[in-house]
Amino acid sequence: MHRIKIPFLRRSGVFILFLFLVISSTLAHAKTLHYRLHPIWTRSFTPQIVDLNGDGTDELVIVHGSQIDVQDWKLRYFYHSFKIDLTVPFNIRAIPGASLDSVTFFLTFRKADTIFVKFLPPTRLTRGKAIPESLLQDFYFFVRSPKTLPSNFYQSIGYLGNYQNNHGHRNWLFRFNTAWDKWGKRGLLAATIHPPKILWHYFSGPQIFHVVLDDLNGDGNKEIILSSYAPANGVKGRDTRDNKSYIFVLNSEGKEIWKRSLGTYWTGSYATVG
């Protein structure tokens, strides 16, 4: 009987045995894994860090478009994109709430010739469940002017910051803006958010894009310093037009202290304090 030689299998067996010994030795001497890199989000967002569920530990609130993601400190989702029962597209954002470690959501959406702005404090329904439109709190709205074409109707509103006024009450600042609609509105408003209430408006021609809060005159109260851009869309506000950029200074109650025009159309005037 002739023996059948299989040198390839012998060499393979030796290699597999060697590989097994190397892996076993590596695992035996491997150090404990202390950390791991996690993919958090795939686009650029500004997360908010708050204790959203009241357990004493902060969570990450990540907002993009109509989706809210909340992750715990181990970067695990514990609820993802809670649903709001609206039949129209909407945009939702998270802003600081009434207390130091809290958050409030605010939504904007359009129905016919009106753009609505609503607030939504966190509830048990914001943990992955459906929220009826009836739970949204009225805050603000914009109505299309009869002189504005429906295709040109555009209004946006965004959170700028919050401050304590002369009476010790905390106010939230929002800027509102239009684009090509010369009959639209631009400016700044101050409000409380629990409950939602508009305290004052300041209308402007140019776009407000930045705010600084500082005590300019040394009276112990902070003034509101606004930077603006002049897009030259024909928008008017108070005694300004958007063919010039301005620095505006208001007191904490929204009264104008002074303003300066620093540039012509397509320029931005930016204020810093220090």
Side-chain angles (χ1 to χ4, degrees):
M1 179 180 293
H2 298 283
R3 292 183 178 180
I4 301 175
K5 296 181 179 180
I6 313 179
F8 172 76
L9 291 180
R10 288 181 180 176
R11 289 195 298 269
S12 298
V14 171
F15 174 76
I16 292 172
L17 178 61
F18 173 76
L19 183 61
F20 174 76
L21 293 174
V22 170
I23 293 174
S24 299
S25 176
T26 302
L27 292 177
H29 295 86
K31 294 182 179 180
T32 303
L33 181 65
H34 292 287
Y35 65 90
R36 178 178 297 170
L37 297 178
H38 292 257
I40 303 178
W41 49 85
T42 57
R43 287 173 285 177
S44 296
F45 309 107
T46 302
Q48 200 152 348
I49 302 174
V50 292
D51 180 10
L52 202 57
N53 58 359
D55 65 353
T57 302
D58 287 338
E59 287 80 41
L60 288 174
V61 181
I62 305 159
V63 183
H64 42 98
S66 60
Q67 181 169 313
I68 299 283
D69 294 337
V70 180
Q71 296 182 317
D72 66 10
W73 65 277
K74 293 182 179 178
L75 302 182
R76 297 177 303 196
Y77 290 101
F78 68 85
Y79 56 90
H80 180 87
S81 190
F82 59 79
K83 180 182 178 183
I84 298 177
D85 287 335
L86 281 170
T87 58
V88 294
F90 63 91
N91 184 277
I92 184 168
R93 278 160 281 182
I95 62 174
S99 60
L100 179 63
D101 195 11
S102 65
V103 69
T104 291
F105 303 109
F106 89 101
L107 300 85
T108 55
F109 57 90
R110 177 176 174 175
K111 289 186 176 181
D113 291 333
T114 304
I115 295 174
F116 295 92
V117 185
K118 306 263 188 177
F119 278 170
L120 174 65
T123 70
R124 60 181 180 82
L125 297 179
T126 55
R127 301 187 183 183
K129 299 182 180 180
I131 298 171
E133 184 178 350
S134 59
L135 286 186
L136 303 180
Q137 300 176 351
D138 294 334
F139 178 59
Y140 203 67
F141 62 90
F142 303 94
V143 179
R144 180 177 68 87
S145 167
K147 300 178 182 179
T148 301
L149 293 175
S151 59
N152 287 344
F153 179 46
Y154 170 81
Q155 290 281 172
S156 65
I157 186 168
Y159 171 73
L160 283 179
N162 61 75
Y163 70 98
Q164 187 168 295
N165 67 10
N166 297 351
H167 305 292
H169 301 141
R170 187 150 297 278
N171 297 344
W172 277 251
L173 292 175
F174 297 84
R175 66 165 184 165
F176 47 94
N177 185 36
T178 187
W180 302 102
D181 181 9
K182 64 184 295 184
W183 308 107
K185 296 178 180 179
R186 290 191 182 126
L188 185 78
L189 66 84
T192 60
I193 61 173
H194 293 300
K197 181 182 178 182
I198 306 298
L199 301 175
W200 51 261
H201 293 84
Y202 182 82
F203 293 98
S204 66
Q207 298 174 351
I208 304 298
F209 69 87
H210 182 67
V211 63
V212 176
L213 302 170
D214 209 322
D215 182 7
L216 295 182
N217 55 13
D219 64 353
N221 299 313
K222 289 187 176 181
E223 281 73 49
I224 302 169
I225 305 104
L226 304 173
S227 303
S228 68
Y229 173 73
N233 301 137
V235 177
K236 302 176 183 178
R238 291 174 63 94
D239 55 350
T240 60
R241 301 170 62 95
D242 69 350
N243 60 349
K244 293 181 180 180
S245 60
Y246 288 81
I247 298 296
F248 302 95
V249 177
L250 317 179
N251 68 14
S252 65
E253 306 302 322
K255 304 296 183 182
E256 182 184 294
I257 300 175
W258 58 262
K259 62 178 177 288
R260 298 286 187 275
S261 173
L262 299 181
T264 183
Y265 61 90
W266 300 345
T267 65
S269 297
Y270 188 87
T272 60
V273 178

